[in-house]
Amino acid sequence: MATLDLAKEDGGFADTADGPPSYTENLIGTLLAIFGNLLVSIAVSIQKYSHVVLAGTKDPRAFYRTKTWWCGLLLTLLGEGTIFASYAFAPVSLIAPLNAVSVVASSILGFIFLREKWKAKEFLKRYILSFLGCALTVAGTYLFVTFGPNSHEKLNAENIIKHVIGWPFLLYMLLEIIAFCLLLYFYKQRNANYLIIILMLVALLGSMTAITVKAVSGMLVLSIQGSMQLGYPIFYVMLVCMVATVTFQARLLSQASYLYDSSLIACLNYVLSTTFAVVSGSIFYLEFNHEDVLHICMFLLGCVVCCLGVFLITKNRKKAKAFEPYVTMDMLQGVPTIHDKGWAVQPDYNGSFSYGALVNNDSVGPATLTVSQEHVTVSSTPQKASELKRD
């Protein structure tokens, strides 16, 4: 009992010991993160559906005047709030990789709402990489959740201040500031708009976001439980850092989406953000201090398998066509199609940009007929007009 009181007087680190409460809180945090990512995926699909419906029906209303879009926005806020709350119960290293759940859910929802009709063999051939990616992502998620860090502490203001002034975090912050300034210099001054540079900036900001989100969420949960933490200045410092890093991440990601393909951004952003979030969580909150080598290796293996699954899922996404050579009649509602079966007026262009039903064969030379010399006879006498007419 005296040991417990002494530990509590020493900044409250007595709650970091492993025990049943840690497993329970980790389970609560994991389930909240999974549920939140699922809600976000469903919300994004609903908002996309509202945009598609407006474009298909040529509705003059703005997208924010539709009920479906607002429903998607409310689900997004609910999902993000659930993910935010999950950081208060589970380590950063466990919550950050669970963003892969959103990728898997979006892929499955894409299959459900897929409008194209394929034969069974063509469907499996086209989407076998997505199926394999989903399986790998689920397996990787199981591994890093099972072997992830289990230590947990109550994040009051005193504990957070001790972590902030600790030399591991100060050294990490120094290296991160140097790397961020160098990347920002090349990005702004040298116009190095490479995707890896933009996403490295996003990942460096994301590592700070993960630290601050866990601190703010943990202090809010303690305040709700009765131990008021909102009177400490460190709470507002973390809150301002969280809002600032999230804002700059959104700006950088919008610039990246303008320059590069969304599937490539999703894959690289997940890998880099997860890596830096795990590193920052392990340094700031000392999440792997009480874990053995086997658990750490299995956790890292699960993260690698999950990243490979996300890569396969995003690699198989269809890219939007830059140019459509004709408009099919069945794309417009209220316009009858020429054929009873609703076929397109023109066939597939097969890589040719010629207009009409025929493929452009300008590069092909005129056909020549082979003439057999055996059947050609030259007459020296002039033929009569009747014979020429008959021929």
Side-chain angles (χ1 to χ4, degrees):
M1 187 72 179
T3 306
L4 182 61
D5 294 335
L6 180 62
K8 288 184 177 180
E9 291 175 1
D10 190 22
F13 282 95
D15 293 322
T16 60
D18 293 337
S22 296
Y23 287 103
T24 303
E25 290 177 345
N26 276 9
L27 179 61
I28 293 173
T30 302
L31 293 178
L32 285 175
I34 293 174
F35 181 69
N37 282 291
L38 288 176
L39 282 181
V40 170
S41 301
I42 295 172
V44 171
S45 299
I46 290 175
Q47 288 184 326
K48 285 184 178 180
Y49 176 76
S50 67
H51 287 288
V52 170
V53 169
L54 286 177
T57 58
K58 292 186 176 181
D59 196 329
R61 292 182 301 169
F63 63 89
Y64 53 83
R65 295 183 180 273
T66 59
K67 295 180 180 179
T68 53
W69 188 87
W70 279 103
C71 179
L73 180 61
L74 292 177
L75 287 179
T76 301
L77 295 177
L78 181 60
E80 293 294 344
T82 306
I83 297 172
F84 175 79
S86 67
Y87 278 93
F89 297 95
V92 174
S93 303
L94 191 60
I95 299 300
L98 286 174
N99 290 332
V101 175
S102 179
V103 180
V104 175
S106 299
S107 179
I108 294 174
L109 289 173
F111 292 144
I112 294 175
F113 294 106
L114 191 65
R115 294 186 177 181
E116 297 178 355
K117 296 181 180 180
W118 300 84
K119 295 181 180 179
K121 292 182 179 180
E122 294 178 354
F123 186 83
L124 291 175
K125 183 179 179 181
R126 185 177 181 87
Y127 295 102
I128 189 171
L129 287 179
S130 295
F131 295 148
L132 180 60
C134 291
L136 289 176
T137 305
V138 172
T141 302
Y142 173 79
L143 283 176
F144 71 71
V145 168
T146 304
F147 296 98
N150 193 47
S151 59
H152 185 71
E153 63 174 321
K154 299 298 182 182
L155 294 178
N156 53 32
E158 293 155 355
N159 289 349
I160 294 174
I161 292 174
K162 285 185 177 181
H163 288 308
V164 170
I165 64 176
W167 70 266
F169 177 69
L170 292 178
L171 179 60
Y172 174 77
M173 275 295 298
L174 177 62
L175 296 176
E176 181 170 316
I177 290 173
I178 294 173
F180 186 84
C181 292
L182 287 175
L183 291 172
L184 191 62
Y185 169 76
F186 284 106
Y187 176 62
K188 292 294 185 179
Q189 301 298 326
R190 300 289 183 175
N191 293 326
N193 296 327
Y194 300 109
L195 180 61
I196 188 65
I197 292 179
I198 300 175
L199 294 185
M200 281 288 290
L201 291 170
V202 173
L204 289 172
L205 291 172
S207 64
M208 291 303 301
T209 303
I211 292 174
T212 54
V213 164
K214 183 171 178 60
V216 173
S217 178
M219 295 177 75
L220 283 176
V221 169
L222 283 180
S223 300
I224 294 173
Q225 292 176 351
S227 178
M228 183 58 63
Q229 302 293 319
L230 303 184
Y232 294 92
I234 189 64
F235 172 79
Y236 299 98
V237 171
M238 290 291 179
L239 181 62
V240 170
C241 291
M242 179 187 72
V243 174
T245 53
V246 169
T247 303
F248 283 109
Q249 280 185 86
R251 290 185 60 183
L252 289 170
L253 284 175
S254 64
Q255 294 174 8
S257 63
Y258 178 76
L259 297 173
Y260 297 96
D261 183 62
S262 60
S263 60
L264 184 60
I265 294 173
C267 178
L268 287 179
N269 185 47
Y270 173 78
V271 173
L272 293 175
S273 298
T274 301
T275 302
F276 280 93
V278 170
V279 171
S280 63
S282 61
I283 291 175
F284 187 86
Y285 295 106
L286 308 175
E287 294 175 345
F288 290 94
N289 276 11
H290 302 286
E291 302 295 330
D292 55 12
V293 178
L294 178 61
H295 280 71
I296 295 175
C297 291
M298 294 301 293
F299 172 82
L300 294 177
L301 177 62
C303 291
V304 171
V305 172
C306 202
C307 290
L308 179 60
V310 172
F311 169 74
L312 293 178
I313 293 173
T314 55
K315 185 178 185 299
N316 201 46
R317 287 182 180 175
K318 290 197 308 180
K319 296 181 179 179
K321 293 182 180 179
F323 176 78
E324 189 71 27
Y326 59 86
V327 178
T328 56
M329 297 295 291
D330 55 350
M331 292 176 63
L332 303 176
Q333 294 188 3
V335 179
T337 57
I338 291 180
H339 301 280
D340 295 333
K341 296 182 179 180
W343 292 340
V345 176
Q346 298 164 338
D348 294 335
Y349 63 95
N350 296 325
S352 173
F353 293 125
S354 62
Y355 182 83
L358 298 178
V359 178
N360 185 9
N361 292 323
D362 294 338
S363 60
V364 180
T368 58
L369 298 175
T370 58
V371 180
S372 177
Q373 297 295 332
E374 297 178 356
H375 300 283
V376 178
T377 58
V378 180
S379 177
S380 58
T381 59
Q383 296 180 347
K384 295 181 180 180
S386 61
E387 293 178 355
L388 291 175
K389 194 174 183 179
R390 185 175 64 249
D391 292 336

